[in-house]
Amino acid sequence: MFMIGSSIKEHIAGKYPSLTDLDQGDLKFNLDFRSVYATVLQNWLETPSKPILGEQFPLLKVIKA
C-alpha cells in the first residue's frame, strides 16, 4: 500500500514480505490494513477510528504532526 502526499512522512512501515514463505502461493501480510485506516481516520481526518472499525488498532507514525 502506498500513501502519497505532503502530510506523509518519508517512511516504510512494516517489513518486506518474504518471497519464499508464502500462504498458498500468496504473500503473507505483516501489517494490518486496519492500522493504516485507523491512522488516516485519527491523525488526518481527526475522527475516532474505534466506532468505525469496531475496535482500536495500533496507529502508525506515517503522518506528519
Side-chain angles (χ1 to χ4, degrees):
M1 175 181 305
F2 290 96
M3 296 178 74
I4 300 171
S6 59
S7 296
I8 304 300
K9 291 181 183 178
E10 295 178 12
H11 178 77
I12 296 176
K15 302 179 294 183
Y16 288 108
S18 171
L19 297 176
T20 57
D21 183 23
L22 303 175
D23 180 17
Q24 297 179 9
D26 296 322
L27 295 174
K28 292 181 180 178
F29 71 89
N30 58 45
L31 182 65
D32 192 330
F33 79 94
R34 294 172 293 186
S35 288
V36 177
Y37 193 31
T39 301
V40 170
L41 286 170
Q42 289 187 210
N43 294 348
W44 187 21
L45 300 177
E46 299 178 357
T47 190
S49 64
K50 187 174 180 178
I52 295 169
L53 298 175
E55 62 183 277
Q56 186 63 52
F57 290 89
L59 300 180
L60 306 174
K61 296 178 181 179
V62 295
I63 296 179
K64 295 177 184 175

